[in-house]
Amino acid sequence: MKNELNKIDSIVELTNRTEKNYSEGIAEGPIVYKSIFRKNGGWEAYYLYQQQNDNPPLRIKYNEAGYKTYQKFEFYYQNGELIFAKLNVDFYRGKRKNKPIEKKYYFKNSKLISDSKPELENYGTEYIKRTEKTVRKMIYE
């Protein structure tokens, strides 16, 4: 298990170290809350790829500014599979203000093999996978 996590960490590190060798795309847009039918935030995604239409790319860095939080996601891929995700959440309203969280997710064969903070149930595997799928859809449509 430890070897698997170290291997994934090495791939993530290599991707970040060699990012200048790849092309980067940028996508952005507003966040519209269906309940109030108005813009209430925005998002941006930076994605690293070898070929123009690589889906998934090598890495996606996605930021989302919402009503109470600013969330930063990083998704890393190898051979078309999600292998690592990282989430940072900064709260700027409410009880959690100035108490940011960071969480790391490791995947193998599309299954979660390690979660750095399983007690944060609101930010579980379903949440990270749903976000990743939505982000890819926003980038490639």
Side-chain angles (χ1 to χ4, degrees), residues 36-95:
I36 55 176
F37 294 105
R38 66 172 204 212
K39 293 178 189 172
N40 196 6
W43 63 271
E44 63 185 11
Y46 297 87
Y47 51 101
L48 208 57
Y49 59 88
Q50 284 180 302
Q51 305 294 319
Q52 181 71 46
N53 295 322
D54 282 356
N55 183 4
L58 299 168
R59 178 187 74 201
I60 298 174
K61 287 186 174 184
Y62 171 75
N63 303 315
E64 183 180 291
Y67 173 61
K68 291 182 178 178
T69 61
Y70 182 73
Q71 298 186 86
K72 293 186 285 193
F73 296 85
E74 290 180 30
F75 302 105
Y76 291 82
Y77 305 88
Q78 187 182 41
N79 303 325
E81 298 267 333
L82 178 65
I83 58 165
F84 178 79
K86 183 171 145 184
L87 169 64
N88 288 79
V89 183
D90 289 312
F91 300 88
Y92 46 85
R93 289 202 180 126
K95 293 184 284 203

